Amino acid sequence: MSQRQVLQGVMSLLRPLLLDVVPTIQQTAALALGRLANYNDDLAEAVVKGDILPQLVYSLAEQNRFYKKAAAFVLRAVGKHSPQLAQAIVDCGALDTLVICLEDFDPGVKEAAAWALGYIARHNSELSQAVVDAGAVPLLVLCILEPEIALKRIAASALSDISKHSPELAQTVVDAGAIAHLAQMILNPDAKLKRQVLSALSQIAKHSVDLAEMVVEAEIFPVVLTCLKDSDEYVKKNAATLIREIAKHTPELSQLIVNAGGIAAVIDCIGNCKGNVRLPGIMMLGYVAAHSENLAMAVIISKGVPQLSICLSEEQEDHIKAAAAWALGQIGRHTPEHARAIAVINVLPVLLSLYMETESSEDLQVKAKKALKNILQKCTYLPALEPLLHDAPPNILKYVIGQFSKVLPHDSKARRLFVTSGGLKKVQEIKAEPGSLLQEYINTINNCYPEEIVRYYSPGYSEALLERVENYQPVL
């Protein structure tokens, strides 16, 4: 007997029990179906194919609160697996009935309905739009105001799931007055509620400058910064994500975060956690620094560079290292002063090794190379460039040589140091294409020194000298 036949047999036994005259049997049958559907998508599909959904939807409108909760649980359990299964729920007319349940007297029924609607909306914008069109949003906002914490959580989660797909869907949530109510709950002592509230605000703020400004206008700063110190890792992460989604849009929004003390708070948060919890904070620093010289300097002054350097070195996951490399590149690309702040703490060799490491993911290699290039093109701090002369591959070496060719003509101390450290000798060993940019840089460097010095450090010169000694006929 195949699994499918077993499923069909189970469904055919449970379906009549949904119509039983005894209410507790109806509820128990619905709960059994819900647990089956929740287990995997094959079982959920069997519920759909067994033609059970229309019966559930019909009963959802008619029966007592216990049955309504059980029926909504089945719909949620079916709808969570895939857009196709969620669409099957929409097609059988469940949304209107679930929305009516959001107005039920019993908070448990409201919670079960909100949960089902959120699970349907999270798949894609079409399903989310269907939930909006059924009139769910204003009622979900009212559910946030109910005293029950569990209901608040699920309603905030559903609003987050609706908002995430597009600016238009986020706007419907905003138009229903959600932002002000969500913002007031940022300091609620319940960690799970805070997670959902911060997530919903992030999903609204991420889409556009206008939506981000509306979130900021609800006076979430500096209140939201306290969440970065929360004992719950997800609260920390979601708070950092919200700040990142606001910072990325404009220099003005980033400046507002700086003024509220947000940079130092995010850097502290990165220092006090590990792994993926760090990721949104790292990216937020990169977004802020990308906007302008002054904002990048604010990250440097708040000691952001050493913290990003730590993430670059100690994190295991390549995508976190890649984010740290990208953020450092955004900070260092503005001026020599910015580049120096990164160069002095010895980040350049780390970036180089991540770029050259065959174990590194492609994304990490690309980000490390781009960051190196961005920083090197501004870096005039020669002691940090020196090691790269010996280790960098040709495509990076040209940027290193380029910086030496800019600095050496104007700095006699640096010229002397360049000889004694072996830099000039290394330059003579580089084989550059005639007429290439690299060759131009080398010529510029060589022109800083007397010809005999350059010749002295050229490959083969000592052999040529010895040959001259051998062939020299002393005058007797």
Side-chain angles (χ1 to χ4, degrees), residues 393-462:
N395 60 338
I396 300 293
L397 193 59
K398 69 177 177 196
Y399 298 112
V400 180
I401 300 287
Q403 292 311 103
F404 278 107
S405 76
K406 285 179 199 167
V407 177
L408 292 175
H410 313 290
D411 189 336
S412 58
K413 225 183 213 165
R415 289 200 291 274
R416 183 188 171 91
L417 200 63
F418 194 59
V419 174
T420 55
S421 67
L424 186 61
K425 181 174 188 292
K426 175 65 188 167
V427 168
Q428 306 318 311
E429 291 164 8
I430 295 167
K431 291 176 175 57
E433 291 283 318
S436 66
L437 200 55
L438 181 55
Q439 187 61 61
E440 269 181 52
Y441 293 151
I442 292 170
N443 293 344
T444 305
I445 291 170
N446 288 346
N447 289 340
C448 297
Y449 296 95
E451 200 181 324
E452 62 268 26
I453 293 282
V454 175
R455 222 177 315 137
Y456 179 77
Y457 286 108
S458 297
Y461 182 70
S462 52

Side-chain angles (χ1 to χ4, degrees), residues 7 11 23 63 72 105 109 121 144 183 267 319 406 446 456 473:
L7 290 176
M11 296 306 158
Q63 298 283 6
F105 181 70
V109 173
I144 295 178
I267 292 166
H319 68 281
K406 285 179 199 167
N446 288 346
Y456 179 77
Q473 296 296 327

Side-chain angles (χ1 to χ4, degrees), residues 189-345:
D190 183 76
K192 286 182 181 167
L193 175 57
K194 276 193 283 197
R195 289 178 193 176
Q196 302 302 347
V197 165
L198 293 164
S199 169
L201 289 170
S202 303
Q203 300 292 10
I204 293 167
K206 75 178 184 184
H207 294 292
S208 71
V209 178
D210 288 348
L211 288 165
E213 284 175 348
M214 285 179 189
V215 171
V216 168
E217 280 159 17
E219 295 180 2
I220 62 164
F221 289 104
V223 177
V224 75
L225 301 181
T226 59
C227 296
L228 294 169
K229 291 188 170 74
D230 203 274
S231 56
D232 184 279
E233 298 282 84
Y234 289 100
V235 170
K236 277 186 194 173
K237 186 180 178 186
N238 291 2
T241 303
L242 171 56
I243 299 166
R244 176 192 75 193
E245 297 299 5
I246 293 166
K248 74 180 184 187
H249 290 294
T250 63
E252 291 73 24
L253 284 166
S254 278
Q255 189 62 55
L256 187 143
I257 293 166
V258 172
N259 297 348
I263 299 280
V266 167
I267 292 166
D268 275 353
C269 176
I270 296 170
N272 293 326
C273 56
K274 295 272 186 291
N276 275 321
V277 182
R278 277 177 160 170
L279 190 58
I282 291 169
M283 292 177 72
M284 176 266 185
L285 295 178
Y287 281 129
V288 171
H291 286 305
S292 73
E293 284 179 25
N294 289 346
L295 286 164
M297 195 46 78
V299 176
I300 292 169
I301 290 164
S302 298
K303 308 269 191 297
V305 173
Q307 196 55 66
L308 288 168
S309 171
I310 290 167
C311 296
L312 198 62
S313 302
E314 73 176 24
E315 280 298 334
Q316 302 300 310
E317 301 276 342
D318 277 10
H319 68 281
I320 303 174
K321 286 178 188 279
W326 170 78
L328 287 162
Q330 298 307 315
I331 295 165
R333 71 185 176 84
H334 293 286
T335 69
E337 198 183 348
H338 291 80
R340 184 188 174 114
I342 289 171
V344 292
I345 62 164

Side-chain angles (χ1 to χ4, degrees), residues 120-121 124-133 161-163 165 169:
I120 293 165
N124 58 40
S125 52
E126 291 75 28
L127 287 162
S128 194
Q129 190 62 54
V131 170
V132 168
D133 293 343
D161 285 328
I162 291 166
S163 305
H165 301 291
L169 285 162

